Amino acid sequence: MSTKRIADEPAYVLHRYDWSETSLILEVFTRHHGRVALVAKGAKRPTSSFRPVLLPLQPLSLAFGGDGDIRTLKSAEWVGGHVMPTGEALLSGYYLNELLMRLTARDDPHPELFE
């Protein structure tokens, strides 16, 4: 079975979990693929290029591959345009992320909701 590769996919990080000593499991919300689980190998290392980019509430462009439940993150770039919110705006953003986590199914795209 061939692995499916996705490039230049607009996304937001909804949640991140420790997976191993150096890696993270990410729940991301993408424009064309909906909610997707990704493993970011080595993302917790001090020299990782993922470390400063994989922040919640920030627009990203992701490349990932794989055909299992948890796919592998290949690259992540900050698209820019938003400043990290603070105070009540930050709490509202985290609440919105939790709603997306609980009310959307994996691999079910919602492009209108993403916009």
Side-chain angles (χ1 to χ4, degrees):
M1 183 180 254
S2 66
T3 59
K4 185 176 179 185
R5 294 187 183 253
I6 308 297
D8 297 324
E9 179 67 20
Y12 288 92
V13 174
L14 297 177
H15 210 293
R16 49 191 257 176
Y17 309 93
D18 290 338
W19 183 52
S20 68
E21 193 172 308
T22 60
S23 299
L24 295 170
I25 298 286
L26 305 171
E27 288 281 347
V28 298
F29 189 60
T30 67
R31 177 179 288 140
H32 301 105
H33 301 278
R35 190 165 58 94
V36 178
L38 303 172
V39 61
K41 294 181 180 177
K44 292 176 12 182
R45 289 190 176 128
T47 58
S48 173
S49 62
F50 291 142
R51 193 175 172 118
V53 176
L54 298 176
L55 300 173
L57 309 174
Q58 296 298 307
L60 303 173
S61 177
L62 303 180
F64 55 92
D67 52 6
D69 286 340
I70 300 178
R71 299 169 188 148
T72 303
L73 181 65
K74 303 294 184 186
S75 70
E77 294 180 21
W78 181 61
V79 177
H82 294 121
V83 179
M84 188 69 165
T86 59
E88 288 185 15
L90 180 64
L91 292 176
S92 297
Y94 282 142
Y95 184 68
L96 178 63
N97 283 355
E98 289 299 316
L99 287 174
L100 287 170
M101 288 278 297
R102 296 181 192 280
L103 299 176
T104 60
R106 282 196 181 150
D107 299 314
D108 185 17
H110 296 280
E112 299 85 15
L113 184 59
F114 183 87
E115 293 301 325

